[in-house]
């Protein structure tokens, strides 16, 4: 509702509208934890067959990082298109290494397989996040 000081002749910028403060409830969720620093994170190669067919896609994987910094329990969460880029992603994930001493579960990384402006295949990695 408009404050009583707002008049039709006054500019809207002079009017102040107040809304009730929202109620914030704590969900008692644990704080988000960032994955440890990466030591080695090779990017999967673009599959030759997919590049020849000019296919693009996105793969999201969920995994754990062990206390030794190795990747474990890799699962494909989303694959679009399915079964085109999966193999290369799963193979390269075995080579990933993180700083030791920071085990964490439910980390997700997403890979985008696309063609650049010169129509050359490119693979990009979105920064990891804990889910």
């Amino acid at each position: 509702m408009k404050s009583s000081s707002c008049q039709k002749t006054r500019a809207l910028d002079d009017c102040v509208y107040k809304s009730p403060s929202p109620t914030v409830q704590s969900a008692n969720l644990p704080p988000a934890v960032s994955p440890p620093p990466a030591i080695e994170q090779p990017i999967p190669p673009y599959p030759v067959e997919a590049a020849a067919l000019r296919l693009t896609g996105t793969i999201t994987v969920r995994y754990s990082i062990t206390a030794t910094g190795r990747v474990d329990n890799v699962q494909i969460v989303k694959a679009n298109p399915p079964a085109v880029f999966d193999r290369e992603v799963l193979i390269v994930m075995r080579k990933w290494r993180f700083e030791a001493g920071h085990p964490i579960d439910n980390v997700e990384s997403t890979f985008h397989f696309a063609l650049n402006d010169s129509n050359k295949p490119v693979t990009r990695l979105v920064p990891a996040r804990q889910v």
Side-chain angles (χ1 to χ4, degrees), residues 43 110-115 122-126:
I43 301 296
T110 300
F111 299 89
H112 294 286
F113 294 84
L115 302 172
V122 177
T123 306
R124 292 186 326 264
L125 171 64
V126 176

Side-chain angles (χ1 to χ4, degrees), residues 39-117:
I39 294 172
E40 187 175 350
Q41 266 186 316
I43 301 296
Y46 211 103
V48 175
E49 303 83 20
L53 295 171
R54 308 181 60 70
L55 294 176
T56 61
T58 302
I59 298 283
T60 300
V61 291
R62 184 174 298 148
Y63 53 96
S64 300
I65 299 172
T66 68
T68 62
R70 294 190 174 273
V71 171
D72 195 19
N73 302 320
V74 180
Q75 302 169 13
I76 294 178
V77 178
K78 291 182 217 171
N80 185 19
V84 174
F85 303 100
D86 304 24
R87 181 175 176 268
E88 284 75 12
V89 169
L90 292 173
I91 289 170
V92 84
M93 291 295 295
R94 290 185 218 145
K95 299 175 184 175
W96 280 21
R97 300 292 179 267
F98 292 86
E99 188 176 280
H102 307 282
I104 185 173
D105 292 324
N106 297 319
V107 179
E108 280 190 4
S109 291
T110 300
F111 299 89
H112 294 286
F113 294 84
L115 302 172
N116 68 12
D117 293 340

